Amino acid sequence: NAGVMQNPRHLVRRRGQEARLRCSPMKGHSHVYWYRQLPEEGLKFMVYLQKENIIDESGMPKERFSAEFPKEGPSILRIQQVVRGDSAAYFCASSRLLETQYFGPGTRLLVL
Amino acid sequence: EDKVVQSPLSLVVHEGDTVTLNCSYEVTNFRSLLWYKQEKKAPTFLFMLTSSGIEKKSGRLSSILDKKELFSILNITATQTGDSAVYLCAVVRPIIQGAQKLVFGQGTRLTINP
């Protein structure tokens, strides 16, 4: 049973470019969460999605960031016009309803 | 605002020592508290605590929750170098449509020296 998959594991972008981070939840999980971890800090909730629906995006910056979880395919976290402050590890977690969240290996984004 | 605070932020001990990591919280509609171990990659799940005073145990690790005083501790006995990691405490907070999000503390970086 494969765990939560994220790709790419490492992503380097120049300021102003777009970053696309992908997350495939564990089999049987229909709830996806994105968290961001800045250097030397804990994880901060960004957004919670179910298939084709954004349920809670209270932790997502209002501009440049968007997320989706289409009917088919992985969840995507998209960051437009990246800035240096976006450099962080982005973790995806998945769960069944009201059950433990399991984390993927993360995508480490570096903005030059 | 929801708050989860871990202490100490950093701890260095010798192999064989026992350590206690602390986590205090102020969260609306508390549901449960989780401990994760994070090495260089994904946080891996250790414990879920829902009820006060009931110790959860897994090998050399154990944890307990005090819902009256709003804190939890994670104990590791007879530490080994493989225990070196960041230990994250997270509180489960319900959100709409029956789902939940995790509110994390900043983590405790534990280093075990041989």
Side-chain angles (χ1 to χ4, degrees):
Chain A
N1 185 15
V4 179
M5 314 268 282
Q6 287 187 252
N7 68 81
R9 295 289 302 277
H10 298 272
L11 183 60
V12 180
R13 285 286 177 266
R14 296 193 182 280
R15 279 179 297 168
Q17 291 184 320
E18 179 180 286
R20 276 184 186 243
L21 288 61
R22 292 175 193 77
C23 169
S24 297
M26 283 177 73
K27 190 177 178 181
H29 289 189
S30 58
H31 302 260
V32 166
Y33 306 78
W34 285 93
Y35 294 84
R36 177 163 68 173
Q37 186 175 35
L38 295 169
E40 304 302 320
E41 291 190 16
L43 281 74
K44 295 272 194 304
F45 169 80
M46 298 181 75
V47 61
Y48 159 57
L49 310 106
Q50 295 176 16
K51 283 283 184 184
E52 299 185 279
N53 283 306
I54 297 173
I55 306 301
D56 184 329
E57 55 182 347
S58 57
M60 196 108 97
K62 295 276 185 285
E63 295 176 355
R64 301 188 297 108
F65 284 71
S66 62
E68 61 178 18
F69 188 16
K71 191 175 177 182
E72 302 290 337
S75 175
I76 308 274
L77 179 68
R78 184 176 171 218
I79 312 172
Q80 294 178 288
Q81 299 176 319
V82 295
V83 301
R84 288 223 175 98
D86 297 333
S87 295
Y90 292 83
F91 289 95
C92 166
S94 74
S95 75
R96 293 193 172 95
L97 183 64
L98 297 181
E99 293 191 4
T100 302
Q101 294 179 24
Y102 291 90
F103 284 81
T107 294
R108 276 152 184 81
L109 173 65
L110 175 63
V111 180
L112 301 177
Chain B
E1 187 184 326
D2 297 332
K3 200 191 306 186
V4 179
V5 177
Q6 291 186 245
S7 64
L9 293 182
S10 179
L11 184 58
V12 181
V13 299
H14 289 292
E15 209 167 14
D17 288 351
T18 293
V19 297
T20 298
L21 311 183
N22 304 290
C23 175
S24 63
Y25 62 90
E26 291 175 30
V27 173
T28 310
N29 296 326
F30 172 89
R31 182 167 285 170
S32 54
L33 185 146
L34 308 177
W35 284 96
Y36 287 87
K37 177 182 181 183
Q38 186 179 24
E39 294 168 274
K40 293 220 184 283
K41 37 194 179 177
T44 51
F45 172 76
L46 293 174
F47 296 112
M48 174 186 279
L49 302 156
T50 307
S51 302
S52 236
I54 298 174
E55 187 184 47
K56 291 276 182 95
K57 207 166 163 58
S58 175
R60 296 176 294 102
L61 277 67
S62 63
S63 185
I64 197 160
L65 174 67
D66 185 326
K67 287 166 78 171
K68 186 178 173 191
E69 300 296 331
L70 307 182
F71 77 90
S72 173
I73 59 171
L74 175 69
N75 273 324
I76 310 175
T77 59
T79 52
Q80 301 171 357
T81 53
D83 295 328
S84 295
V86 175
Y87 289 83
L88 298 169
C89 169
V91 172
V92 179
R93 194 195 186 300
I95 49 180
I96 57 173
Q97 293 198 14
Q100 53 203 20
K101 67 179 178 185
L102 302 181
V103 181
F104 280 88
Q106 67 274 57
T108 293
R109 182 175 296 278
L110 177 64
T111 303
I112 311 295
N113 288 326

